[in-house]
Amino acid sequence: MTLRNRITLLTLALLVSSLLVLGVVVYATLRSYLFSGIRPELEAALSQIESAIDDPNVLSRLEALSRISPNLYAQLVRAFGDLQSLGPTGREFFTVRILTSPNLGSSNFSVSLRDLERVWRGELVYTRASIQRDNLPSLNVQVIAKRLKADPFGQGELQDFILVVGRPLDSVSLVLSRWLQVYSAVAVVVLLLAALLAQRLVRRTLEPLEWVARKAEAVSQKPEALPEPQGQDEVAALIRSLNRMMARLESTWQAQTQFVADASHELRTPITAILGHVSFLLRRTPLTEQQRESLEVVVRESERMKKLVTDLLELSKSGNWKLHMGAVHVPTLLEQIQEEYARSFEGRIELEVPENLWVQGDPERLHQVFANLVSNAIKARATRVRLVARDVSAGVVIRVEDNGEGIPAEHLPRLFERFYRVDKARDRERGGTGLGLAIVKTIVEAHGGRVWAESTVGKGTTFSVSLTRATAPQPQLR
């Protein structure tokens, strides 16, 4: 997962958490506020009913529950039994309805026995209950209940009653439900907008870092300084640090390149002298068989050393090559390679190339590339080498196919590294230096192309080179 996606997801996770916490806090606050207004209303109705029940006028007592707000329900019940001796079923205690508010009808409050026990002990109970209605769903209510002594029928004797006053919670539930719906919808919209905004902000924030990455990726093998932006932010500090690091790398690079070039140049002279003197001894001096074998070993090793020095010198100059770019006729280029190796190669070199196929490049350097690849195929004990060119949508692909020994798959990723050999002992015997494919890769990349290898052990290897297509040059009139 990219850094951009991780930051965006983290931002959204924090926002979701914040919205959840905010929703819970607001919901709890709103619920508390709505319920806080119910209790004073119920207590006021309870006091009103108590005052009416104590009225000397019996008729006023009987109508006490009818005078409260029509939004409220009230019920006066007579309790019988000893609540202290309640069994598990509560059958030793029961209530009888005495008076009800008109809107309650034949329905009754359903209050838990635990709450009734608290009321019977003299507590003012404020709790949730329900009203059981015939053929209708039960109605959730908030109730207040109190034990009192009264004589509602004017019999001259005070008796124990339980007065219950309740208010329906449907309006409160409706408000909370609507609030949840609105908040959920708003939260979803906020999350969507936040996701778009976060993605855009993160993209704009990381654009300088991506720019640095692109510039750094565009830097060739030779370190080059990155353009420094204006400002003193973290990105500018990062680029300045990278440039200081690249300056040190460039100094090291130049010292290394100069050393390789100087060493290669200085080594060529003694190697040439050694080869000259040994060749003279082989031609002009009578030698024993053992001496001749020793001198031939010196010649082979000197030739290998000369090739190694030449390759090192080539690589040291790779950053300073002056390519003479132009349209190169691919059939002519490959025919030259075929003629060059056909005389010394015991196998067959076959061509498969369209006649009118041109690429953009330096003919000398491209000749060096394909000569090196064909030479490698011959060293791999191939008996058949095919040079195949194809005009594809991305450009021109030229393949060098052989039926040689093949290369194990684990070696393919490192095949173009300097001094890398698949089989060091075998390559040394065949005159390899481990630099040929590195030079091939450097030349092809200098042309803006790409080179890659495919191989199967025992079946052969195919090297493919992708180059830029060119148009045939116009004939010049004389």
Side-chain angles (χ1 to χ4, degrees), residues 155-171:
Q155 297 175 352
E157 179 183 0
L158 295 177
Q159 297 176 336
D160 287 319
F161 293 91
I162 295 177
L163 177 60
V164 182
V165 181
R167 184 186 188 281
L169 296 177
D170 51 355
S171 60

Side-chain angles (χ1 to χ4, degrees), residues 54-125:
D54 291 338
D55 194 288
N57 189 343
V58 176
L59 184 59
S60 297
R61 298 177 192 175
L62 296 175
E63 295 178 353
L65 274 65
S66 303
R67 296 174 182 175
I68 62 174
S69 172
N71 294 329
L72 301 178
Y73 297 87
Q75 189 175 51
L76 184 68
V77 297
R78 178 74 185 279
F80 297 92
D82 184 7
L83 201 59
Q84 300 297 330
S85 60
L86 273 176
T89 61
R91 292 177 180 174
E92 299 178 23
F93 178 83
F94 61 94
T95 60
V96 176
R97 186 172 67 171
I98 303 301
L99 296 174
T100 61
S101 59
N103 55 1
L104 190 60
S106 60
S107 303
N108 292 307
F109 285 103
S110 178
V111 183
S112 67
L113 288 175
R114 180 179 300 177
D115 290 332
L116 288 176
E117 179 183 2
R118 292 171 57 201
V119 174
W120 197 249
R121 290 172 181 170
E123 296 182 28
L124 182 65
V125 175

Side-chain angles (χ1 to χ4, degrees), residues 427-447:
D427 288 349
R428 190 180 300 273
E429 290 176 0
R430 298 175 185 177
T433 63
L435 293 174
L437 291 178
I439 294 175
V440 167
K441 183 174 183 288
T442 303
I443 294 174
V444 172
E445 289 181 349
H447 283 74

Side-chain angles (χ1 to χ4, degrees), residues 301-431:
E301 292 301 317
S302 298
E303 290 287 353
R304 193 179 67 83
M305 182 62 71
K306 182 178 180 181
K307 186 176 186 305
L308 175 61
V309 170
T310 302
D311 290 346
L312 283 173
L313 192 59
E314 283 285 330
L315 283 176
S316 68
K317 296 178 179 179
S318 61
N320 299 317
W321 280 340
K322 292 183 179 180
L323 299 177
H324 302 285
M325 303 294 285
V328 179
H329 190 222
V330 177
T332 301
L333 173 66
L334 298 184
E335 285 172 3
Q336 291 173 355
I337 301 292
Q338 183 187 36
E339 292 175 3
E340 180 177 338
Y341 285 93
R343 301 170 186 173
S344 58
F345 180 43
E346 296 179 357
R348 292 178 299 162
I349 298 179
E350 303 174 357
L351 295 184
E352 185 178 334
V353 54
E355 177 58 33
N356 191 25
L357 188 61
W358 298 75
V359 294
Q360 191 73 21
D362 184 329
E364 295 299 326
R365 292 297 178 184
L366 292 181
H367 184 281
Q368 184 179 356
V369 166
F370 294 105
N372 199 316
L373 295 178
V374 171
S375 175
N376 284 348
I378 295 173
K379 290 176 184 178
R381 303 188 187 283
T383 59
R384 179 169 173 261
V385 178
R386 296 181 71 239
L387 303 179
V388 181
R390 292 284 185 268
D391 189 357
V392 297
S393 58
V396 175
V397 175
I398 304 174
R399 300 201 306 269
V400 178
E401 304 173 355
D402 68 64
N403 61 348
E405 299 166 342
I407 302 170
E410 63 269 19
H411 293 285
L412 292 177
R414 302 186 58 190
L415 203 57
F416 296 95
E417 295 180 7
R418 298 181 181 185
F419 296 107
Y420 185 79
R421 295 186 179 95
V422 176
D423 187 335
K424 296 182 179 180
R426 186 185 67 186
D427 288 349
R428 190 180 300 273
E429 290 176 0
R430 298 175 185 177

Side-chain angles (χ1 to χ4, degrees), residues 177-222:
S177 176
R178 291 287 177 83
W179 182 88
L180 280 176
Q181 293 175 1
V182 172
Y183 185 80
S184 300
V186 171
V188 170
V189 173
V190 168
L191 284 175
L192 292 176
L193 293 177
L196 295 175
L197 182 61
Q199 189 175 19
R200 184 172 181 180
L201 289 177
V202 170
R203 183 173 63 249
R204 293 188 62 182
T205 302
L206 295 181
E207 273 180 358
L209 294 179
E210 294 175 350
W211 175 81
V212 171
R214 289 194 300 269
K215 288 293 184 181
E217 188 69 25
V219 172
S220 62
Q221 293 182 355
K222 182 178 179 181

